[in-house]
Amino acid sequence: YKVTLEYTKAVYEGAPLCPSVVVKSSTKASAVTLVQGVDYTVEYVNNDAPGTASVIIRGINAYVGSITKTFTVNPAQVTGLEITQVTHNSVTVCFDPVPGATEYWIYQGSTRKAKIEDTTYTFTGLTIGTTYNFSVKANTNVNGVDYTGAASQTISARPSSSIESYTLTLSG
């Protein structure tokens, strides 16, 4: 039998993923395409979160045996990345949570600075007048394997010594 899945990589966005299945009687050009529900059944396993999902195809009626195919499910891309605070030596960013992600990888330029579970992070030890680029990737670790989404858009900030606003109170 030759089994083909509609896709072998997918992005989890909060709903189970069910790629369509095509089953042929052989790999030859004269192969017959089998019919789901008549010649075989399909079962999806672990298809509702990032990780490795399985599709189990079981022959019925005139067809016997089973074939298991797998596909990779990664978290979605982080969105909503924004700067919430800039000081003389730090920048704080926040972003929207990603369905199914268990952690976030925080980048300063191309260097991963941290793994966090929250959706806010403060970069410290920065230099006044230097422009820094920041991005985030959602990640899920399943049995020691990382399933990582695409990087967020990159945002930039430059720590400054200037005072943005202040309040002056006079007494006397």
Side-chain angles (χ1 to χ4, degrees):
Y1 300 104
K2 179 182 178 191
V3 176
T4 307
L5 299 181
E6 176 185 7
Y7 49 81
T8 57
K9 293 182 180 183
V11 174
Y12 181 71
E13 297 192 17
L17 294 153
C18 301
S20 62
V21 176
V22 175
V23 180
K24 296 202 174 204
S25 59
S26 73
T27 57
K28 296 179 181 178
S30 61
V32 174
T33 300
L34 305 184
V35 177
Q36 184 175 341
V38 175
D39 301 317
Y40 66 92
T41 62
V42 175
E43 177 186 359
Y44 297 92
V45 179
N46 297 326
N47 64 328
D48 58 354
T52 298
S54 299
V55 182
I56 303 169
I57 299 96
R58 291 186 178 90
I60 56 175
N61 298 321
Y63 299 93
V64 295
S66 66
I67 297 173
T68 300
K69 292 286 195 172
T70 60
F71 63 99
T72 301
V73 181
N74 287 317
Q77 181 180 34
V78 170
T79 59
L81 179 61
E82 61 183 36
I83 295 167
T84 58
Q85 184 178 23
V86 178
T87 70
H88 69 284
N89 68 350
S90 70
V91 173
T92 301
V93 299
C94 70
F95 49 91
D96 299 332
V98 173
T102 56
E103 64 188 13
Y104 299 94
W105 294 355
I106 308 298
Y107 289 83
Q108 180 179 314
S110 61
T111 303
R112 188 169 84 188
K113 295 301 254 184
K115 281 195 309 187
I116 63 170
E117 294 177 6
D118 197 6
T119 56
T120 301
Y121 183 77
T122 300
F123 295 89
T124 59
L126 306 179
T127 303
I128 292 172
T130 301
T131 299
Y132 295 91
N133 296 317
F134 309 107
S135 62
V136 180
K137 292 181 181 179
N139 187 67
T140 300
N141 186 288
V142 179
N143 298 323
V145 178
D146 288 317
Y147 296 89
T148 308
S152 67
Q153 85 278 8
T154 298
I155 58 173
S156 300
R158 184 171 59 200
S160 171
S161 62
S162 64
I163 298 173
E164 298 288 327
S165 64
Y166 59 91
T167 302
L168 176 61
T169 305
L170 300 175
S171 62

Coordinates of all heavy atoms in Angstrom, one line a residue, residues 78-145:
V78 N 4.6 33.7 17.4 CA 4.2 34.7 18.5 C 3.8 36.0 17.8 O 4.4 36.4 16.8 CB 5.4 35.0 19.4 CG1 5.2 36.1 20.3 CG2 5.7 33.7 20.2
T79 N 2.7 36.6 18.3 CA 2.2 37.8 17.8 C 2.1 38.8 18.9 O 2.2 38.4 20.1 CB 0.8 37.7 17.1 OG1 -0.1 37.2 18.1 CG2 0.9 36.8 15.9
G80 N 1.9 40.1 18.6 CA 1.6 41.1 19.6 C 2.9 41.5 20.4 O 2.8 42.1 21.4
L81 N 4.1 41.2 19.8 CA 5.3 41.6 20.5 C 5.4 43.1 20.6 O 5.3 43.8 19.5 CB 6.5 41.0 19.8 CG 7.9 41.4 20.4 CD1 8.0 40.8 21.9 CD2 9.0 40.8 19.6
E82 N 5.6 43.7 21.8 CA 5.7 45.1 21.9 C 6.6 45.5 23.1 O 6.8 44.7 24.0 CB 4.3 45.8 22.1 CG 3.5 45.4 23.3 CD 2.2 46.0 23.3 OE1 1.5 46.2 22.3 OE2 1.7 46.3 24.5
I83 N 7.1 46.7 23.0 CA 7.9 47.2 24.1 C 7.0 47.9 25.1 O 6.2 48.8 24.7 CB 9.0 48.2 23.5 CG1 10.0 47.4 22.6 CG2 9.8 48.8 24.7 CD1 10.9 48.2 21.8
T84 N 7.2 47.6 26.4 CA 6.3 48.2 27.4 C 7.1 49.2 28.3 O 6.5 50.0 28.9 CB 5.7 47.1 28.3 OG1 6.7 46.3 28.9 CG2 4.7 46.3 27.5
Q85 N 8.5 49.0 28.3 CA 9.3 50.0 29.1 C 10.7 50.0 28.6 O 11.2 48.9 28.2 CB 9.2 49.6 30.6 CG 10.0 50.6 31.4 CD 9.9 50.2 32.9 OE1 9.7 49.0 33.2 NE2 10.1 51.1 33.8
V86 N 11.3 51.2 28.5 CA 12.7 51.4 28.2 C 13.3 52.3 29.3 O 12.8 53.3 29.6 CB 12.9 52.0 26.8 CG1 14.3 52.2 26.5 CG2 12.2 51.2 25.7
T87 N 14.4 51.8 29.8 CA 15.2 52.6 30.8 C 16.6 52.8 30.3 O 16.8 52.5 29.1 CB 15.3 51.9 32.2 OG1 16.2 50.8 32.1 CG2 13.9 51.5 32.7
H88 N 17.4 53.4 31.1 CA 18.8 53.6 30.6 C 19.6 52.4 30.4 O 20.6 52.4 29.7 CB 19.5 54.5 31.7 CG 19.8 53.9 33.0 ND1 18.9 53.6 33.9 CD2 21.0 53.3 33.4 CE1 19.4 53.0 34.9 NE2 20.7 52.8 34.7
N89 N 19.2 51.2 31.0 CA 19.9 50.0 30.8 C 19.1 48.7 30.6 O 19.5 47.6 30.7 CB 20.9 49.8 31.9 CG 20.2 49.5 33.2 OD1 19.0 49.6 33.3 ND2 21.0 49.1 34.2
S90 N 17.7 48.9 30.3 CA 16.9 47.8 30.2 C 15.7 48.1 29.2 O 15.4 49.2 29.0 CB 16.3 47.3 31.5 OG 15.4 48.3 32.0
V91 N 15.2 47.0 28.7 CA 14.0 47.1 27.8 C 13.1 45.9 28.3 O 13.5 44.8 28.4 CB 14.3 46.9 26.3 CG1 13.1 46.8 25.5 CG2 15.2 48.1 25.9
T92 N 11.8 46.2 28.5 CA 10.8 45.2 28.8 C 9.9 45.0 27.6 O 9.4 46.0 27.0 CB 10.0 45.6 30.1 OG1 10.9 45.8 31.2 CG2 8.9 44.5 30.4
V93 N 9.6 43.7 27.3 CA 8.7 43.4 26.2 C 7.6 42.5 26.7 O 7.8 41.8 27.7 CB 9.5 42.7 25.0 CG1 10.6 43.6 24.4 CG2 10.1 41.4 25.4
C94 N 6.5 42.5 26.0 CA 5.4 41.6 26.3 C 4.9 41.1 24.9 O 5.1 41.7 23.9 CB 4.4 42.2 27.2 SG 3.4 43.4 26.4
F95 N 4.1 40.0 24.9 CA 3.5 39.4 23.7 C 2.3 38.6 24.1 O 2.1 38.3 25.2 CB 4.6 38.6 23.0 CG 5.3 37.6 23.9 CD1 4.9 36.3 24.0 CD2 6.5 38.0 24.5 CE1 5.6 35.5 24.9 CE2 7.2 37.2 25.4 CZ 6.7 35.9 25.5
D96 N 1.6 38.2 23.1 CA 0.4 37.4 23.2 C 0.7 35.9 23.5 O 1.7 35.4 22.8 CB -0.5 37.5 22.0 CG -1.0 38.9 21.7 OD1 -1.1 39.7 22.7 OD2 -1.2 39.2 20.6
P97 N 0.0 35.2 24.3 CA 0.3 33.8 24.5 C -0.1 33.0 23.3 O -0.9 33.5 22.5 CB -0.7 33.4 25.7 CG -1.7 34.5 25.8 CD -1.1 35.7 25.2
V98 N 0.6 31.9 23.1 CA 0.3 31.0 21.9 C -0.3 29.7 22.3 O 0.2 29.1 23.3 CB 1.7 30.8 21.2 CG1 1.5 29.7 20.1 CG2 2.3 32.0 20.6
P99 N -1.4 29.3 21.7 CA -2.1 28.0 22.1 C -1.1 26.9 22.0 O -0.4 26.7 21.0 CB -3.2 27.9 21.1 CG -3.5 29.3 20.6 CD -2.1 30.0 20.6
G100 N -1.0 26.1 23.1 CA -0.2 24.9 23.1 C 1.2 25.1 23.4 O 2.0 24.1 23.7
A101 N 1.7 26.3 23.5 CA 3.1 26.6 23.8 C 3.3 26.4 25.3 O 2.5 26.9 26.1 CB 3.5 28.0 23.4
T102 N 4.4 25.8 25.7 CA 4.7 25.6 27.2 C 5.8 26.6 27.6 O 6.0 26.7 28.8 CB 5.1 24.2 27.5 OG1 6.2 23.8 26.7 CG2 3.9 23.3 27.2
E103 N 6.5 27.2 26.7 CA 7.6 28.1 27.0 C 7.8 29.0 25.8 O 7.4 28.7 24.7 CB 8.8 27.4 27.4 CG 9.5 26.5 26.3 CD 10.6 25.7 26.8 OE1 10.8 25.5 28.0 OE2 11.3 25.1 25.9
Y104 N 8.6 30.1 26.1 CA 8.9 31.0 25.0 C 10.4 31.2 25.0 O 11.0 31.3 26.1 CB 8.2 32.3 25.2 CG 6.7 32.1 25.2 CD1 6.0 31.9 26.4 CD2 6.0 32.1 24.0 CE1 4.6 31.7 26.4 CE2 4.7 31.9 24.0 CZ 4.0 31.7 25.1 OH 2.6 31.5 25.1
W105 N 11.0 31.3 23.8 CA 12.5 31.5 23.7 C 12.6 33.0 23.4 O 12.1 33.5 22.4 CB 13.1 30.6 22.6 CG 13.1 29.2 23.0 CD1 12.7 28.6 24.2 CD2 13.5 28.1 22.2 NE1 12.8 27.2 24.1 CE2 13.3 26.9 22.9 CE3 14.0 28.0 20.9 CZ2 13.6 25.7 22.3 CZ3 14.3 26.8 20.3 CH2 14.1 25.6 21.1
I106 N 13.4 33.7 24.2 CA 13.5 35.2 24.0 C 14.9 35.4 23.4 O 15.9 35.0 23.9 CB 13.5 35.8 25.4 CG1 12.2 35.4 26.2 CG2 13.6 37.3 25.3 CD1 10.9 35.7 25.5
Y107 N 14.9 36.2 22.3 CA 16.1 36.5 21.6 C 16.4 38.0 21.6 O 15.6 38.9 21.5 CB 15.9 36.1 20.1 CG 15.9 34.7 19.9 CD1 14.7 33.9 20.1 CD2 17.0 34.0 19.5 CE1 14.7 32.6 19.9 CE2 17.0 32.6 19.4 CZ 15.8 31.9 19.5 OH 15.8 30.5 19.4
Q108 N 17.7 38.3 21.8 CA 18.3 39.6 21.6 C 19.2 39.5 20.4 O 20.2 38.8 20.5 CB 19.1 40.0 22.8 CG 19.7 41.4 22.7 CD 20.5 41.8 24.0 OE1 20.0 41.6 25.1 NE2 21.7 42.3 23.8
G109 N 18.8 40.1 19.3 CA 19.5 39.8 18.0 C 19.3 38.3 17.7 O 18.2 37.8 17.7
S110 N 20.3 37.6 17.3 CA 20.2 36.2 17.0 C 20.6 35.3 18.2 O 20.6 34.1 18.1 CB 21.1 35.8 15.8 OG 22.5 36.1 16.2
T111 N 20.8 35.9 19.4 CA 21.2 35.1 20.6 C 20.0 34.9 21.5 O 19.3 35.8 21.9 CB 22.3 35.9 21.4 OG1 23.4 36.2 20.5 CG2 22.7 35.1 22.6
R112 N 19.8 33.6 21.8 CA 18.7 33.3 22.7 C 19.2 33.6 24.1 O 20.2 33.1 24.6 CB 18.4 31.8 22.7 CG 17.1 31.5 23.5 CD 16.6 30.1 23.2 NE 17.3 29.1 24.0 CZ 17.1 27.8 24.0 NH1 16.3 27.3 23.1 NH2 17.8 27.0 24.7
K113 N 18.4 34.6 24.8 CA 18.8 35.1 26.1 C 18.1 34.3 27.2 O 18.6 34.3 28.3 CB 18.4 36.5 26.2 CG 19.2 37.4 25.3 CD 20.7 37.3 25.5 CE 21.2 38.5 26.2 NZ 22.7 38.5 26.3
A114 N 16.9 33.7 26.9 CA 16.2 33.1 28.0 C 15.1 32.2 27.5 O 14.7 32.3 26.3 CB 15.5 34.2 28.9
K115 N 14.7 31.2 28.4 CA 13.5 30.4 28.2 C 12.6 30.8 29.3 O 12.9 30.7 30.5 CB 13.8 28.9 28.3 CG 14.4 28.3 27.1 CD 14.4 26.8 27.1 CE 14.9 26.1 28.3 NZ 15.0 24.7 28.1
I116 N 11.3 31.3 29.0 CA 10.4 31.7 30.0 C 9.1 31.1 29.8 O 8.8 30.6 28.7 CB 10.3 33.2 30.1 CG1 9.7 33.8 28.8 CG2 11.6 33.9 30.4 CD1 9.3 35.3 28.9
E117 N 8.2 31.0 30.9 CA 6.9 30.5 30.7 C 5.8 31.7 30.7 O 4.7 31.4 30.4 CB 6.6 29.6 31.9 CG 7.4 28.3 31.8 CD 7.2 27.4 33.0 OE1 6.3 27.6 33.8 OE2 7.9 26.4 33.1
D118 N 6.3 32.9 31.1 CA 5.4 34.0 31.1 C 5.4 34.7 29.7 O 6.2 34.3 28.8 CB 5.9 35.0 32.2 CG 4.9 36.0 32.6 OD1 3.7 35.9 32.1 OD2 5.2 36.9 33.4
T119 N 4.7 35.8 29.6 CA 4.6 36.5 28.3 C 5.2 37.9 28.4 O 4.9 38.8 27.7 CB 3.2 36.6 27.7 OG1 2.4 37.2 28.7 CG2 2.7 35.2 27.3
T120 N 6.1 38.1 29.4 CA 6.8 39.4 29.7 C 8.2 39.1 30.0 O 8.5 38.1 30.7 CB 6.1 40.2 30.8 OG1 4.8 40.4 30.5 CG2 6.8 41.5 31.0
Y121 N 9.1 39.9 29.5 CA 10.6 39.7 29.8 C 11.3 41.0 29.8 O 11.0 41.9 28.9 CB 11.2 38.8 28.7 CG 12.6 38.5 29.0 CD1 13.0 37.5 30.0 CD2 13.7 39.1 28.3 CE1 14.3 37.2 30.3 CE2 15.0 38.8 28.6 CZ 15.3 37.9 29.6 OH 16.6 37.6 29.9
T122 N 12.2 41.2 30.7 CA 13.1 42.4 30.7 C 14.5 42.0 30.4 O 15.1 41.2 31.1 CB 13.0 43.0 32.1 OG1 11.6 43.3 32.4 CG2 13.8 44.3 32.2
F123 N 15.0 42.7 29.3 CA 16.4 42.6 29.0 C 17.2 43.6 29.8 O 16.8 44.8 29.9 CB 16.6 42.9 27.5 CG 15.9 42.0 26.5 CD1 14.6 42.1 26.2 CD2 16.6 40.9 26.1 CE1 14.0 41.3 25.3 CE2 16.0 40.0 25.2 CZ 14.7 40.2 24.8
T124 N 18.2 43.2 30.5 CA 19.0 44.1 31.4 C 20.4 44.2 30.9 O 20.9 43.4 30.0 CB 18.9 43.6 32.8 OG1 19.5 42.2 32.9 CG2 17.5 43.6 33.3
G125 N 21.2 45.1 31.5 CA 22.6 45.2 31.2 C 22.8 45.8 29.8 O 23.9 45.6 29.2
L126 N 21.9 46.6 29.3 CA 22.0 47.2 28.0 C 22.8 48.5 28.1 O 22.9 49.1 29.2 CB 20.6 47.4 27.4 CG 19.7 46.2 27.3 CD1 18.4 46.5 26.7 CD2 20.4 45.0 26.6
T127 N 23.2 49.0 27.0 CA 24.1 50.2 26.9 C 23.3 51.4 26.3 O 22.6 51.2 25.3 CB 25.3 49.9 26.0 OG1 26.0 48.8 26.6 CG2 26.2 51.1 26.0
I128 N 23.4 52.5 26.9 CA 22.7 53.7 26.5 C 23.2 54.0 25.0 O 24.4 53.9 24.7 CB 23.0 54.9 27.4 CG1 22.4 54.7 28.7 CG2 22.6 56.3 26.8 CD1 22.8 55.8 29.8
G129 N 22.2 54.4 24.2 CA 22.5 54.8 22.8 C 22.7 53.6 21.8 O 22.9 53.9 20.6
T130 N 22.7 52.4 22.3 CA 22.8 51.2 21.4 C 21.4 50.7 21.0 O 20.6 50.6 21.9 CB 23.7 50.1 22.1 OG1 24.9 50.6 22.4 CG2 23.8 48.9 21.2
T131 N 21.2 50.5 19.7 CA 19.9 49.9 19.3 C 20.0 48.4 19.4 O 20.9 47.8 18.9 CB 19.6 50.3 17.9 OG1 19.6 51.8 17.8 CG2 18.3 49.8 17.4
Y132 N 19.0 47.8 20.0 CA 18.9 46.4 20.2 C 17.6 45.8 19.5 O 16.6 46.5 19.5 CB 18.8 46.0 21.7 CG 20.0 46.4 22.5 CD1 20.1 47.6 23.1 CD2 21.1 45.5 22.6 CE1 21.3 47.9 23.8 CE2 22.2 45.8 23.3 CZ 22.3 47.0 23.9 OH 23.4 47.4 24.6
N133 N 17.8 44.6 18.9 CA 16.6 44.0 18.2 C 16.2 42.8 19.1 O 17.0 42.1 19.6 CB 17.0 43.5 16.9 CG 17.4 44.6 15.9 OD1 16.7 45.6 15.9 ND2 18.5 44.4 15.2
F134 N 14.9 42.6 19.2 CA 14.3 41.6 20.0 C 13.2 40.8 19.3 O 12.5 41.3 18.4 CB 13.6 42.2 21.3 CG 14.5 43.1 22.0 CD1 14.3 44.5 22.0 CD2 15.6 42.6 22.8 CE1 15.1 45.4 22.7 CE2 16.4 43.5 23.5 CZ 16.2 44.9 23.4
S135 N 13.2 39.5 19.5 CA 12.1 38.6 18.9 C 11.9 37.4 19.9 O 12.6 37.2 20.9 CB 12.6 38.1 17.6 OG 13.7 37.3 17.7
V136 N 10.8 36.7 19.6 CA 10.4 35.6 20.5 C 9.9 34.4 19.6 O 9.3 34.6 18.6 CB 9.2 36.1 21.4 CG1 8.7 34.9 22.3 CG2 9.6 37.3 22.2
K137 N 10.2 33.2 20.1 CA 9.6 32.0 19.5 C 8.8 31.2 20.6 O 9.3 31.1 21.7 CB 10.7 31.1 19.0 CG 11.5 31.7 17.8 CD 12.5 30.7 17.3 CE 13.3 31.2 16.2 NZ 14.4 30.3 15.7
A138 N 7.7 30.7 20.2 CA 6.9 29.8 21.1 C 7.5 28.4 20.9 O 7.9 28.0 19.8 CB 5.5 29.8 20.7
N139 N 7.6 27.7 22.0 CA 8.1 26.3 22.0 C 7.3 25.4 22.9 O 6.8 25.8 23.9 CB 9.6 26.3 22.5 CG 10.3 25.0 22.3 OD1 10.5 24.5 21.2 ND2 10.6 24.3 23.4
T140 N 7.3 24.1 22.5 CA 6.8 23.1 23.4 C 7.7 21.9 23.4 O 8.2 21.5 22.3 CB 5.4 22.6 22.8 OG1 4.5 23.7 22.8 CG2 4.8 21.5 23.7
N141 N 8.1 21.4 24.5 CA 9.0 20.3 24.6 C 8.2 19.1 25.0 O 7.5 19.0 26.0 CB 10.1 20.6 25.7 CG 11.2 19.5 25.7 OD1 10.9 18.4 26.1 ND2 12.3 19.8 25.2
V142 N 8.3 18.1 24.1 CA 7.6 16.8 24.4 C 8.6 15.7 24.4 O 9.3 15.4 23.4 CB 6.5 16.5 23.3 CG1 5.8 15.2 23.5 CG2 5.5 17.7 23.2
N143 N 8.7 15.1 25.6 CA 9.7 13.9 25.7 C 11.1 14.3 25.3 O 11.7 13.5 24.6 CB 9.2 12.7 25.0 CG 7.8 12.2 25.6 OD1 7.6 12.3 26.8 ND2 7.0 11.8 24.7
G144 N 11.5 15.5 25.6 CA 12.9 15.9 25.2 C 13.1 16.5 23.8 O 14.2 16.8 23.5
V145 N 12.0 16.5 23.1 CA 12.1 17.1 21.7 C 11.4 18.4 21.7 O 10.3 18.6 22.1 CB 11.4 16.1 20.7 CG1 11.4 16.7 19.3 CG2 12.1 14.8 20.7

